[in-house]
Amino acid sequence: EVQLLESGGGLVQPGGSLRLSCAASGFTFSTYTMSWVRQAPGKGLEWVSRIRGSGSDKGYADSVKGRFSISRDNSKNTLYLQMDSLRAEDTAVYYCAKGIHALVTAPDYWGRGTLVTVSS
Amino acid sequence: EIVMTQTPLSLSVTPGQPASISCKSSQSLLYSDGKTYLYWYLQKPGQSPQLLIYEVSNRFSAVPDRFSGSGSGTDFTLKISRVEADDVGVYYCMQSTQLPLTLGGGTKVEIE
């Protein structure tokens, strides 16, 4: 059974940093593209970033480019999202999501999410 | 980036009746490999999104056959043949043909 467990969310001041983690199990983690997708309170879904299985190829939404960095540790089956220069508009539930196939970014399984609140 | 536009914004359906959601993309979603990377998700109240349909018309594991997807190019449709109470939530279309991945604004389905 695929399981994705996010952690690291919380309250942070504007301009601050936070690192999210996603512990994965139930599949061969190193094989799959992984993504972060967020959802602001009461709003729709927004794709944030993705990383290929090898970690060599990464992509970002324009709204986070230059501020967020995605990475993974295949030895620990863990996905990360380093978030710097946080803004109020980054407030959202952040979901970790597994790609359908090795080279397909679109998710099939999603975690339960972790809430990030950016506020002074 | 590819803009995804869903209609309607909301839908109120009598149980047992059909429902249809439209998703239009600002560019063709046909990729150079011949596949069209259009997906449908349902986010039930208080839950994470769940995959219903991948690559336009393929039902994901354990998705009931009352859900079907169709379309090509820039026009796509999700149909529910007979809506059940468990189908309530917000439906999203998503494209992964081109980065950034983009999603429609969502269609909220309620039961009358």
Side-chain angles (χ1 to χ4, degrees), chain B residues 21 23 38 40 53 56-57 68-72 75-79:
Chain B
I21 300 170
C23 177
L38 184 282
W40 290 96
I53 302 288
V56 180
S57 59
S68 64
S70 63
S72 64
D75 289 354
F76 304 93
T77 302
L78 175 70
K79 292 184 179 178

Side-chain angles (χ1 to χ4, degrees), chain B residues 13-29:
Chain B
V13 188
T14 301
Q17 293 301 301
S20 180
I21 300 170
S22 171
C23 177
K24 296 184 187 297
S25 58
S26 60
Q27 303 173 34
S28 174
L29 299 186

Side-chain angles (χ1 to χ4, degrees), chain A residues 39 43-45 47 50 95 100 104-112, chain B residues 37 39 41 43 47-49 51 54 60 92 94 96 99-101 103:
Chain A
Q39 186 169 36
K43 302 297 185 182
L45 299 167
W47 175 81
R50 72 104 163 103
Y95 296 102
I100 295 173
V104 173
T105 299
D108 52 4
Y109 292 98
W110 304 58
R112 294 194 172 193
Chain B
Y37 293 98
Y39 305 82
Y41 297 87
Q43 186 173 31
Q47 296 186 19
S48 304
L51 177 63
Y54 64 95
F60 188 56
Y92 296 93
M94 172 196 273
S96 71
L99 286 188
L101 270 66
L103 297 99

Side-chain angles (χ1 to χ4, degrees), chain A residues 47-48 60-62, chain B residues 1-2 95-103:
Chain A
W47 175 81
V48 172
Y60 299 93
D62 286 347
Chain B
E1 71 177 43
I2 297 176
Q95 69 80 23
S96 71
T97 296
Q98 179 186 116
L99 286 188
L101 270 66
T102 48
L103 297 99

Side-chain angles (χ1 to χ4, degrees), chain A residues 8 10 22 25 35 40 46 48 53 60 71 73 78-79 83 86 97 103 107 112-113 118-119:
Chain A
C22 171
S25 61
S35 287
E46 179 189 18
V48 172
Y60 299 93
S71 62
D73 185 336
T78 302
L79 175 72
M83 304 186 295
L86 282 161
L103 293 179
R112 294 194 172 193
V118 184
S119 175

